[in-house]
Amino acid sequence: MNQAAQTTIDEDEVARFSAMAAEWWNPKGKFRPLHKFNPVRLTYIRNHVAAHFGRDPKSDKPLQGLRVLDIGCGGGLLSEPMARMGAEVLGADASRTNVEVASIHAAQSGVNVSYEAVTSEELAARGERFDIVLNMEVVEHVADVDLFLTSCAEMVKPGGLMFVATINRTMKAMALAIIGAEYVLRWLPRGTHQYERLVRPEEIETPLAASGMNVIDRTGVFYNPLQDQWNLSRDMDVNYMMLMERPKAS
């Protein structure tokens, strides 16, 4: 009997986010936290990309000529801004419903983004390569973290970058990101995150280092309720972002 092929798809997680797909572009809806999170992560991505590729971060098109993969793109909350900054963007998601919502919104907004219902391992098997891979708020939802990360790393061109954002597996994260956000404040539907599926920084770094990626930046991200906004922080105990580079061939 043939062994079942490995996959990063968790059908329950795909179904969970597909059921909420109509909410993606509602800033006061179920994805309100991502809308609030978007400014800080977009600034982080733009500034690091500009510094790495020698671009002006204040220009209209700082990502001009760069090919970007937004893996686990959802409704396209990151894909569209990347395209507006000049990138050639492929938004990929395991949920066909999410891809349909993202495609419709992009068309209505006049933004050129290619969307596809496809997994990271399928893209890697096709030989796809990108200057930048965005792996944002998705790793905690996949079935096989190592396979997901290594297939994403395989698609980063030499000299290219990968951004990862997720939630740390700590008691502080349990208290704030799950109990606080889902059960007390009800920012997210209950069950959006499961504690055992949260991912520690070393669990990101180990498979990526084995795939030839180097960590060049780490930062925490925290929510300031007085300002009603997210900010960068040295504290990585709850939300955090990491930046990796694939070195150019010598």
Side-chain angles (χ1 to χ4, degrees):
M1 181 180 295
N2 292 333
Q3 185 176 5
Q6 284 184 291
T7 179
T8 59
I9 294 177
D10 184 307
E11 296 292 353
D12 290 339
E13 291 293 280
V14 172
R16 187 193 314 279
F17 283 92
S18 295
M20 298 187 288
E23 295 277 332
W24 275 110
W25 287 95
N26 180 359
K28 296 182 179 179
K30 294 177 180 178
F31 293 102
R32 178 178 179 271
L34 281 182
H35 284 270
K36 288 290 184 181
F37 193 21
N38 238 16
V40 70
R41 62 181 183 171
L42 284 170
T43 300
Y44 181 80
I45 293 166
R46 182 199 64 202
N47 289 346
H48 278 286
V49 168
H52 183 79
F53 290 100
R55 308 295 180 85
D56 179 359
K58 296 182 180 180
S59 70
D60 290 339
K61 305 287 185 182
L63 275 62
Q64 190 75 49
L66 297 176
R67 190 166 191 238
V68 174
L69 170 65
D70 182 10
I71 189 73
C73 64
L77 299 187
L78 276 178
S79 296
E80 285 195 23
M82 293 294 108
R84 291 185 189 277
M85 286 191 276
E88 176 192 341
V89 181
L90 173 60
D93 200 284
S95 165
R96 193 168 299 278
T97 306
N98 283 345
V99 165
E100 290 172 355
V101 169
S103 298
I104 291 170
H105 192 275
Q108 292 173 338
S109 303
V111 182
N112 185 19
V113 181
S114 297
Y115 287 108
E116 187 175 352
V118 65
T119 65
S120 59
E121 61 270 25
E122 289 169 338
L123 288 171
R126 279 181 1 199
E128 298 280 2
R129 296 294 181 268
F130 300 87
D131 300 290
I132 302 163
V133 172
L134 302 180
N135 183 336
M136 310 294 278
E137 291 79 40
V138 63
V139 67
E140 69 270 25
H141 300 293
V142 302
D144 188 326
V145 171
D146 284 0
L147 175 61
F148 177 68
L149 291 171
T150 54
S151 58
C152 287
E154 185 179 338
M155 292 185 281
V156 180
K157 294 178 182 179
L161 300 174
M162 182 193 295
F163 293 83
V164 179
T166 189
I167 303 173
N168 206 342
R169 193 169 68 254
T170 64
M171 287 296 101
K172 187 174 180 180
M174 165 72 94
L176 296 178
I178 297 180
I179 296 173
E182 297 182 17
Y183 290 83
V184 179
L185 298 174
R186 297 184 180 180
W187 284 349
L188 294 166
R190 294 183 180 184
T192 299
H193 296 103
Q194 295 85 47
Y195 177 76
E196 67 275 7
R197 303 190 67 157
L198 303 183
V199 187
R200 292 174 175 156
E202 60 270 23
E203 295 168 346
I204 301 283
E205 293 182 28
T206 298
L208 290 180
S211 299
M213 303 290 289
N214 296 333
V215 178
I216 57 178
D217 190 69
R218 306 174 182 84
T219 185
V221 191
F222 80 99
Y223 176 72
N224 185 325
L226 298 179
Q227 297 177 326
D228 189 26
Q229 69 180 28
W230 291 84
N231 299 293
L232 299 183
S233 168
R234 295 181 180 179
D235 183 358
M236 294 178 59
D237 285 347
V238 186
N239 295 81
Y240 66 93
M241 294 189 288
M242 301 177 68
L243 172 59
M244 291 83 172
E245 173 192 29
R246 179 174 296 285
K248 292 181 179 178
S250 56

